[in-house]
Amino acid sequence: MAKTIIDLDSVGLVLSGGGVRGLAHIGVIKAMKENNINATTISGSSAGALVGALYANGNSIEEMLDFFKETPIFKYNFLTMAKAGFIDTDKYITLFKNYFPEDSFEALGKKLFLVATNLQKGEETYFSSGELIRPLLASAALPPVFSPVEMNGTLYADGGIMNNFPIEPVQKAANFIIGSNVSVISSLEKKELKNAVKLAARVTNLMIYASSKQKLKSCNIVIEPIALEKIGVLDKRGMQKAFEIGYEHASKKIETYLESRHHQNLPLK
């Protein structure tokens, strides 16, 4: 049931990368819809870019979930030996056109910013106009699983390499920001860091989170469910669970925020 509307000129939504955990973003959007909160500007990285594009495209919650459940992460005939990656990212273009037939940022109903990593220059690049699908694939092309995407002679890969929480364009366009971060960090026991693989994963996660931590403080509402850490970033079996965790956490955070503003008799901003 719709409740309180946040009466602001513009609401920005920032969606982090995080693989399968990114389905929690869809849960966040569902909670926003139930509270009549409508983002006017969206910025996303990797899985957050995919969810952000679907939201900006006007897809329903069910359609967003179907997109991830029906789009294969691994498919035999997508494997490649000719590119730097196990899976040829370009193979997904035809699948994506089923959801984005006009293949254009301008065809979306909301302003969308995607971030990808320019592998040759070693810098982040934002995309917000023109062709949509290739920048979208580039933003989610996590190496070495997915091959980089070539655009105008330059190779681009996962946006999370350089900027996993791309708040910057939203800060310029919105006066209220909701941040959804699914690359979460919690405390670990010493026994959980006893092999090289787990240690490397922990170090990588800490580095990604460190670059986002300060930026999260600039959000008016932060959704960051620690329970997501138990879901593997490429584990499709965790999709529904990630969605449910995101929805439950976002519903509570939004409700708490709205109640706090009401009790203080303050405008919702």
Side-chain angles (χ1 to χ4, degrees), residues 13 24-32 178 180 223 246-247 250 254:
L13 178 63
H25 295 319
I26 304 177
V28 172
I29 292 169
K30 180 180 179 182
M32 289 170 60
I178 297 173
S180 180
I223 293 105
Y247 171 67
I254 292 172

Side-chain angles (χ1 to χ4, degrees), residues 8-240:
L8 296 170
D9 295 332
S10 58
V11 175
L13 178 63
V14 186
L15 305 173
S16 78
V20 166
R21 299 172 185 173
L23 270 82
H25 295 319
I26 304 177
V28 172
I29 292 169
K30 180 180 179 182
M32 289 170 60
K33 286 176 175 285
E34 290 180 351
N35 284 278
N36 281 334
I37 301 172
N38 178 47
T40 53
T41 304
I42 308 151
S43 182
S45 181
S46 196
L50 297 176
V51 175
L54 292 166
Y55 179 39
N57 194 47
N59 292 98
S60 68
I61 297 299
E62 292 72 23
E63 288 169 338
M64 293 184 205
L65 290 171
D66 287 344
F67 171 86
F68 286 94
K69 291 176 179 178
E70 295 174 2
T71 301
I73 294 179
F74 302 107
K75 195 172 181 181
Y76 179 75
N77 61 345
F78 283 11
L79 295 174
T80 181
M81 296 288 288
K83 295 184 178 182
F86 300 118
I87 297 173
D88 185 353
T89 307
D90 287 341
K91 296 285 188 180
Y92 288 90
I93 292 176
T94 300
L95 295 176
F96 275 45
K97 281 188 177 178
N98 292 328
Y99 285 83
F100 307 102
E102 294 187 53
D103 192 11
S104 166
F105 278 90
E106 287 74 19
L108 301 174
K110 301 175 184 292
K111 185 62 179 177
L112 175 68
F113 294 88
L114 307 178
V115 65
T117 298
N118 183 325
L119 291 173
Q120 291 161 254
K121 290 186 177 180
E123 60 186 27
E124 64 189 61
T125 301
Y126 280 100
F127 296 89
S128 59
S129 63
E131 181 184 9
L132 171 65
I133 292 176
R134 293 185 72 81
L136 188 55
L137 287 170
S139 184
L142 177 67
V145 178
F146 300 99
S147 66
V149 174
E150 183 172 344
M151 291 180 282
N152 298 318
T154 300
L155 294 175
Y156 294 90
D158 196 288
I161 298 170
M162 299 296 293
N163 190 344
N164 201 53
F165 192 75
I167 194 174
E168 292 80 5
V170 173
Q171 287 178 307
K172 299 175 183 178
N175 56 9
F176 186 96
I177 300 176
I178 297 173
S180 180
N181 178 42
V182 299
S183 293
V184 293
I185 292 293
S186 63
S187 298
L188 294 181
E189 297 292 332
K190 184 169 63 175
K191 63 182 179 181
E192 297 180 76
L193 297 171
K194 283 192 173 180
N195 65 61
V197 173
K198 289 185 176 180
L199 178 61
R202 178 64 170 178
V203 170
T204 300
N205 290 339
L206 288 172
M207 291 171 65
I208 291 173
Y209 187 72
S211 66
S212 305
K213 189 174 182 179
Q214 193 62 35
K215 291 192 282 187
L216 286 164
K217 296 178 181 179
S218 297
C219 299
N220 299 90
I221 299 177
V222 176
I223 293 105
E224 196 174 32
I226 295 299
L228 290 172
E229 195 170 40
K230 296 180 181 179
I231 298 174
V233 295
L234 294 176
D235 183 7
K236 290 196 74 170
R237 295 171 298 179
M239 287 184 173
Q240 184 65 29

